[in-house]
Amino acid sequence: MLSTFITQSIAIIAPLALAAAAAMAEPPAIFVDLTVDQAAKKAQQENRLVLVDATAEWCGPCKMMDRTTWVDDKVVEWINANAIAVQFDVDHEEDTAKRFQIRAMPTVIVLKDGKEFDRKVGYMDGPKLIDWLDQVKAGKSSLDVLREKAGNRMDEDGNVDVRERYDMAGEFLNANAYEEALDEYLWLWDNMVEFEPAMGGVRGSFMAGDMERLAASHAPAKQKFTQLRDDLAAKLRSGDGGFEALDDWIVLNEVIGDSDATLAWIDRIKDRPDAHKTFKRTWFRIDNLLVDAKRYELYGTIVPDPVRTARRDLAMLNDRFLPPSMDEDQRRQFTEMQNQRATDEIATLHASLLLANREQEATEVADELFAKLPGCDARIALANKAMDLGVVTKRHLAWLDECPAKQDINELRDRIEKRLMEQKKGGR
């Protein structure tokens, strides 16, 4: 169930590691205290560029640029000679972030004559930033460079650098060059695995996420991706597809925002004798989908190997993603976050299994959680989720009896006892 856990966890590390320092930090001296519009007006009067840095207090790469790039002597010299630089926090100036369609930080934008000329997304050191700014000053945008670099997809030997094409597609997307991004992603979707088999996992995860973002921003992209999905559906209906086509079909449903199609497919096949084989192969695609749709009973019915799922989730509880620079308090916060997320996921699995009348496996899943996290928090979480889904049992009361008496536990115990009495009266 924690198929997205690594990405989400890494995204949370930065705020924990940097929050204290960021709260006290002042913008680098190169940035003037002007709004973007004020800077643009001043720049037009002085025949200069405007450099806009979109940042956030919790953004690690942003803070790294503050400490290094924006105080680099050569960068400061270039900006003083050619531009007016302003910095804004996307969380504090949401209208400005929306105006410039900021989706990731850091994003650095260059304005010419008050209009956007070019942008770069991601960390840049001093030399890389100056190379880009020199290029912009000469009238050539990063998109111009990308177009030259793209050329033909095949070189004279019939080879292609798929990783470069993938990076380039992302650059086009970040620059809002949607048509060129679409062209690249369509080619990559059809050809990536052929030229670079090792990137098959990227195709169905990170690249699919980029395609989803493109589809949400560009109607022609959504139409193209929908057609790809529909063509696969026809292929599957004819029996000429196999698992690879099914996997692609599920991915494309997510890309175009049609998870209902996947849910409808699950409902259609769930009672077939061989459905469990299909669900076992596609589980990493559909587990979060079922939970997000609150299809808990169905989730509990078709989950292929609950104990193995719980063990896999609990195996993620380690500090291998933590940077050495984290202090003890930050590590504690991150560990608490990991534990809470895993507990919530397994509590959902446990309650869903009870809904599906898989009591023995529900107990085994709980035992796996308690072995890893023996404190009361796990017992309370399982009892609360079981209450929410209406499947509490005497076993939940027994688990709470193992905890020290506290007001919140006593209140939960009273609620469970009341629910059990109601269930008994109702013949459940």
Side-chain angles (χ1 to χ4, degrees), residues 153-223:
R153 291 191 177 98
M154 296 290 184
D155 64 21
E156 59 184 13
D157 297 321
N159 298 316
V160 63
D161 190 331
V162 172
R163 295 177 187 275
E164 183 177 285
R165 309 284 329 175
Y166 173 61
D167 291 342
M168 186 165 56
E171 291 282 354
F172 281 136
L173 178 58
N174 287 334
N176 299 332
Y178 296 139
E179 281 299 323
E180 285 158 303
L182 174 59
D183 185 54
E184 289 297 326
Y185 283 124
L186 288 173
W187 185 87
L188 287 165
W189 181 261
D190 289 336
N191 297 280
M192 175 180 274
V193 177
E194 176 184 351
F195 286 99
E196 192 73 50
M199 293 190 73
V202 172
R203 178 178 179 272
S205 56
F206 295 108
M207 191 176 90
D210 292 338
M211 292 168 65
E212 181 178 0
R213 194 174 122 207
L214 178 58
S217 303
H218 188 55
K222 185 172 183 178
Q223 292 170 0

Side-chain angles (χ1 to χ4, degrees), residues 31-83:
F31 294 110
V32 299
D33 187 17
L34 296 174
T35 66
V36 174
D37 290 335
Q38 289 170 341
K41 184 176 181 180
K42 181 177 175 63
Q44 282 186 303
Q45 293 170 348
E46 300 177 3
N47 193 28
R48 294 153 72 89
L49 301 171
V50 176
L51 198 65
V52 182
D53 179 36
T55 185
E57 288 183 355
W58 47 264
C59 169
C62 302
K63 296 306 167 187
M64 180 66 74
M65 287 188 71
D66 282 353
R67 293 193 298 269
T68 59
T69 307
W70 298 122
V71 296
D72 182 287
D73 289 342
K74 292 183 178 180
V75 170
V76 171
E77 180 182 354
W78 195 101
I79 294 175
N80 282 333
N82 299 281

Side-chain angles (χ1 to χ4, degrees), residues 141-393:
S141 72
S142 55
L143 287 183
D144 294 330
V145 174
L146 281 174
R147 293 181 185 107
E148 293 175 1
K149 187 178 181 181
N152 295 321
R153 291 191 177 98
M154 296 290 184
D155 64 21
E156 59 184 13
D157 297 321
N159 298 316
V160 63
D161 190 331
V162 172
R163 295 177 187 275
E164 183 177 285
R165 309 284 329 175
Y166 173 61
D167 291 342
M168 186 165 56
E171 291 282 354
F172 281 136
L173 178 58
N174 287 334
N176 299 332
Y178 296 139
E179 281 299 323
E180 285 158 303
L182 174 59
D183 185 54
E184 289 297 326
Y185 283 124
L186 288 173
W187 185 87
L188 287 165
W189 181 261
D190 289 336
N191 297 280
M192 175 180 274
V193 177
E194 176 184 351
F195 286 99
E196 192 73 50
M199 293 190 73
V202 172
R203 178 178 179 272
S205 56
F206 295 108
M207 191 176 90
D210 292 338
M211 292 168 65
E212 181 178 0
R213 194 174 122 207
L214 178 58
S217 303
H218 188 55
K222 185 172 183 178
Q223 292 170 0
K224 290 285 188 180
F225 298 151
T226 300
Q227 187 60 56
L228 286 176
R229 188 279 305 266
D230 292 345
D231 290 345
L232 280 170
K235 192 174 183 179
L236 288 165
R237 284 195 297 270
S238 71
D240 181 24
F243 173 74
E244 290 76 13
L246 175 61
D247 187 65
D248 282 352
W249 180 79
I250 295 172
V251 170
L252 288 170
N253 283 336
E254 291 299 302
V255 165
I256 65 175
D258 190 13
S259 58
D260 286 346
T262 304
L263 291 169
W265 164 75
I266 294 171
D267 283 328
R268 284 197 306 272
I269 74 164
K270 68 180 187 299
D271 296 323
R272 295 178 185 175
D274 61 346
H276 67 284
K277 295 180 181 178
T278 302
F279 291 143
K280 187 172 184 178
R281 295 192 69 178
T282 59
W283 190 247
F284 72 107
R285 298 282 186 210
I286 65 176
D287 58 346
N288 289 321
L289 177 65
L290 289 165
V291 172
D292 290 344
K294 301 187 185 307
R295 299 291 303 275
Y296 300 116
E297 184 172 356
L298 179 58
Y299 172 73
T301 299
I302 69 175
V303 55
D305 191 337
V307 174
R308 182 177 180 181
T309 296
R311 287 174 179 168
R312 181 196 66 196
D313 295 350
L314 291 167
M316 308 284 278
L317 300 182
N318 57 67
D319 60 1
R320 61 179 172 175
F321 304 116
L322 298 181
S325 59
M326 271 194 172
D327 63 29
E328 183 177 345
D329 186 57
Q330 291 161 351
R331 286 177 175 272
R332 177 187 57 77
Q333 291 181 58
F334 182 75
T335 299
E336 289 175 357
M337 179 275 296
Q338 281 188 312
N339 292 349
Q340 184 63 56
R341 190 183 298 274
T343 299
D344 291 344
E345 297 281 5
I346 293 177
T348 297
L349 174 60
H350 167 78
S352 298
L353 289 167
L354 290 175
L355 274 173
N357 296 316
R358 297 171 70 174
E359 290 86 355
Q360 180 59 39
E361 289 165 299
T363 300
E364 292 172 0
V365 162
D367 289 342
E368 293 289 335
L369 177 62
F370 297 156
K372 186 73 174 182
L373 301 174
C376 285
D377 289 345
R379 289 163 168 76
I380 293 170
L382 264 62
N384 268 318
K385 193 64 180 183
M387 273 291 297
D388 291 343
L389 300 190
V391 286
V392 285
T393 67

